[in-house]
Amino acid sequence: MGIIKIVRRNIMFKPLQSLIACLVVAAGIAMAVLVLLLADGVHSGLSSAAEPFPIVAGSKGSPNQLVLNTVFLKDTPMSNISYAEVKKLRANKNVGMAVPFGYGDNYRGFRMAGTEKEIFDYVINPQRGKWLQIAEGRAFEAPFEAVLGARMAQMTGMKVGDTFKTSHGMVELPGSKGHAQEYKVVGILQPVNGPYDQSILTDIQSIWQAHAGHGEAAHGVTSVLIKPSGYAQALALLSQYRNNKEMQVVFPSQIIIELFSVMGDAEKVLQIISYAVILLALIIIAFTTYWAAAMRRHDNAIMRAIGAGQKEIIKINFLQGMLLSCIGVGAGVAAGHGVFALLADLLRQKTAVNMAAGFTAQEGVMVLAVILAAAVFSFIPAMAACRSQAADNL
């Protein structure tokens, strides 16, 4: 009988024991992989979403709320600033481009963003080209014309030529009558792989007219997207507005870095737990292999009596431990990526933030380390199986 067949028979002889060993290894690997993928995916997803917003200006208050409003289209909009501030920014020598945004309305929960048509000329960097590009129809040219984000159009089934009415606030409440004005869809965007895939863009004049008489300040804007003239100019602009009592200027990328520094401790704790589970799994593999070898002392003695050498006995017991470990590692990696894919899809549906799913260098190092450790844990009981005298176990 070949060595592989013997190993397979030995594993199947104790199916529950073998299954438990594999499941524990898989659980530890899956947890560790999931933590690594989430850390990398969330970081890349948030950073990608913030890339089109090098600088954001808005009213005084929480910088986090300003970034959530403008970059991620979440949270309650902050108080408005005067459109006159937009004009001042455009006249500032440190500013290459300034585009206002006005929030406050929604359609079926999708955020309406009032802005100006210059947004369609905004280029993040020369290599990437324009941030917002029209896939169908055209850009808005007049009030109450709307351009839909790619995912918003897909999820609602709306198309160019359709009309709709918005509701005041962040979500559409049951029984809400909405605004009287009707919007017409004139265009649909190409995917941008970010929150604005689930947005509705319209001329900011639409927002002002829809809220006329609601008590809001005339010609107010919630935030301003600023593209600085250069890096030095960006720092100069930040310095200029640092002590401004009416406005704040923030770097969204810096806010995200601060967020990850807070999340770092929790991530480390999860990693420690994952590695502890993996270590426990390897110890179980070692005991399983040793126990299996002890249970098969009579079989090993017979094999040695009929001519099997110590090398063959070592190979059988070593391969058994390695096979259980590798099955557990493979299942754990698959499970970790599967759970990550589900969470990434859920996050994409809720926020339109895309977390890239792929194998990371850290994951590869971890898997290699686990396999090497499994080899050690499997080799020790395999050697122990050969130390007993064959005659004593016949």
Side-chain angles (χ1 to χ4, degrees):
M1 184 182 293
I3 290 179
I4 299 299
K5 289 184 178 181
I6 296 175
V7 169
R8 186 172 60 185
R9 187 203 65 178
N10 290 342
I11 290 176
M12 296 304 296
F13 181 70
K14 295 286 185 179
L16 182 60
Q17 175 183 311
S18 301
L19 178 62
I20 291 174
C22 289
L23 288 178
V24 174
V25 174
I29 292 292
M31 185 183 298
V33 167
L34 182 60
V35 170
L36 292 174
L37 290 177
L38 284 174
D40 186 69
V42 171
H43 187 276
S44 62
L46 296 183
S47 299
S48 177
E51 185 182 9
F53 298 87
I55 300 178
V56 173
S59 63
K60 278 290 187 179
S62 167
N64 295 339
Q65 186 179 3
L66 179 59
V67 171
L68 285 173
N69 286 176
T70 309
V71 176
F72 300 103
L73 300 175
K74 295 296 179 182
D75 208 344
T76 304
M78 302 179 67
S79 58
N80 287 340
I81 58 176
S82 171
Y83 188 78
E85 298 294 342
V86 180
K87 295 180 179 180
K88 290 181 183 179
L89 285 169
R90 286 173 173 167
N92 193 310
K93 64 180 181 180
N94 296 315
V95 176
M97 187 176 189
V99 183
F101 284 95
Y103 308 108
D105 290 343
N106 79 91
Y107 172 70
R108 292 171 57 178
F110 294 97
R111 184 74 63 92
M112 170 74 77
T115 184
E116 295 178 339
K117 62 181 181 180
E118 285 76 14
I119 192 65
F120 297 103
D121 297 323
Y122 172 48
V123 176
I124 301 176
N125 59 60
Q127 291 75 28
R128 293 281 299 276
K130 293 181 179 180
W131 175 39
L132 302 177
Q133 300 182 37
I134 302 295
E136 299 178 38
R138 59 175 174 80
F140 59 75
E141 297 176 353
F144 300 104
E145 292 185 340
V147 176
L148 310 182
R151 187 166 178 79
M152 186 274 179
Q154 180 185 20
M155 294 175 70
T156 61
M158 297 178 69
K159 57 186 182 299
V160 174
D162 288 348
T163 59
F164 63 95
K165 293 182 180 180
T166 60
S167 299
H168 189 64
M170 312 305 301
V171 295
E172 190 171 8
L173 299 175
S176 175
K177 295 181 180 179
H179 294 297
Q181 295 85 353
E182 194 171 62
Y183 290 84
K184 181 179 180 180
V185 179
V186 297
I188 297 175
L189 294 173
Q190 293 183 8
V192 297
N193 295 321
Y196 279 77
D197 280 333
Q198 294 184 185
S199 70
I200 308 169
L201 300 179
T202 188
D203 193 310
I204 198 167
Q205 295 281 346
S206 310
I207 304 296
W208 293 340
Q209 293 180 32
H211 292 83
H214 286 204
E216 287 115 350
H219 290 191
V221 301
T222 310
S223 60
V224 185
L225 160 63
I226 301 173
K227 182 179 182 180
S229 301
Y231 181 73
Q233 289 77 6
L235 297 178
L237 185 66
L238 182 65
S239 178
Q240 288 176 6
Y241 279 87
R242 180 170 287 116
N243 298 319
N244 190 292
K245 296 181 180 180
E246 303 296 329
M247 287 178 54
Q248 63 175 326
V249 171
V250 302
F251 293 94
S253 58
Q254 183 178 1
I255 300 298
I256 291 175
I257 290 173
E258 293 174 355
L259 173 64
F260 274 96
S261 67
V262 173
M263 294 173 58
D265 292 339
E267 179 186 338
K268 289 177 182 178
V269 171
L270 288 175
Q271 285 182 340
I272 291 173
I273 293 174
S274 301
Y275 296 149
V277 173
I278 291 173
L279 179 60
L280 175 63
L282 292 174
I283 293 174
I284 291 177
I285 287 288
F287 276 108
T288 299
T289 304
Y290 181 80
W291 184 23
M295 296 293 290
R296 293 193 306 275
R297 287 175 180 173
H298 182 70
D299 294 342
N300 290 336
I302 293 176
M303 291 178 62
R304 291 174 64 180
I306 62 176
Q310 288 189 349
K311 290 185 178 179
E312 285 72 19
I313 302 299
I314 292 174
K315 283 182 180 179
I316 291 171
N317 288 276
F318 175 76
L319 288 176
Q320 178 179 331
M322 286 302 296
L323 182 58
L324 291 174
S325 300
C326 289
I327 291 174
V329 169
V333 170
H337 278 267
V339 174
F340 174 77
L342 292 175
L343 293 177
D345 185 64
L346 180 62
L347 181 65
R348 184 165 51 251
Q349 291 181 20
K350 296 294 183 181
T351 66
V353 172
N354 288 297
M355 295 196 300
F359 289 91
T360 65
Q362 284 180 299
E363 181 184 355
V365 171
M366 181 196 68
V367 169
L368 180 61
V370 170
I371 292 176
L372 290 176
V376 174
F377 277 100
S378 298
F379 184 73
I380 293 174
M383 287 293 295
C386 296
R387 290 180 179 177
S388 60
Q389 295 296 323
D392 295 338
N393 295 300
L394 285 174

